[in-house]
Amino acid sequence: MTIYESDLPGVGKKFEVELEGDERLVIVTHNTGKREVYFKANEDADSDKLFELPDRLARTVGTILEGAYFQPVKSDQVETMLSDETFIEWFNVADDSELVGQTLGEANIREEIGVSIVAIQRDGDVIAPPGPETAIEAGDTLVVVGDQEDCTEFEALLGSDDRQ
């Protein structure tokens, strides 16, 4: 998949995403935050406007599309890229994880591994941000921020196949 990015002086940025064949999805992000979404049948075709979204709604739709609200198919990994090197990842805590029963302060994860636990999903609730006194429980989903290498190291600490 190729994404073409171009500046639109005084307007914002335009992104063209190659789809199947020669089709393209065109997204114009205005400096005001508004997004316009177009479809092009091929590289040389005129764009047909599909819809327009204000900034806040566009961000909500984006998080739905990336799977932050709902994962229809269990996958080995859920990650959101914040930058080229920083990710948000979700990890499930197994019953036999060595972290079960430890507080975040006791586990010392940020200092030892380099990732930060920014939220914990537990029994339909979200603890955000969790404090150092927050205990890790079996069945928790830990929302972690870090670079790919540190996230992989954290996954190894939890045990195999614990990413959601």
Side-chain angles (χ1 to χ4, degrees), residues 77 79 85-91 113-116 144-158 163:
Q77 172 179 351
E79 67 180 34
E85 298 180 14
T86 305
F87 294 82
I88 299 177
E89 298 199 32
W90 286 256
F91 294 92
I113 296 177
V115 298
S116 295
V144 173
V145 175
D147 67 29
Q148 191 65 50
E149 186 177 308
D150 291 343
C151 287
T152 300
E153 186 177 343
F154 182 69
E155 179 181 24
L157 174 70
L158 284 173
R163 287 188 191 183

Side-chain angles (χ1 to χ4, degrees), residues 14-108:
K14 177 175 81 171
F15 301 90
E16 289 194 31
V17 182
E18 286 185 345
L19 304 174
E20 292 183 22
D22 291 335
E23 298 175 336
R24 291 184 178 202
L25 188 64
V26 180
I27 300 138
V28 176
T29 302
H30 291 255
N31 293 331
T32 62
K34 175 177 78 171
R35 275 46 159 223
E36 294 176 302
V37 180
Y38 298 85
F39 175 78
K40 289 173 66 171
N42 61 60
E43 181 179 356
D44 299 320
D46 289 334
S47 298
D48 294 319
K49 187 174 185 176
L50 299 175
F51 57 89
E52 180 178 306
L53 298 171
D55 183 57
R56 185 171 177 88
L57 182 56
R59 291 175 187 277
T60 301
V61 169
T63 58
I64 291 169
L65 290 173
E66 77 177 342
Y69 282 102
F70 172 71
Q71 287 291 313
V73 178
K74 177 137 176 99
S75 64
D76 291 338
Q77 172 179 351
V78 176
E79 67 180 34
T80 301
M81 191 175 350
L82 295 176
S83 71
D84 289 343
E85 298 180 14
T86 305
F87 294 82
I88 299 177
E89 298 199 32
W90 286 256
F91 294 92
N92 293 321
V93 179
D95 294 342
D96 60 351
S97 172
E98 65 182 76
L99 294 177
V100 171
Q102 292 186 46
T103 66
L104 294 179
E106 293 166 342
N108 206 26

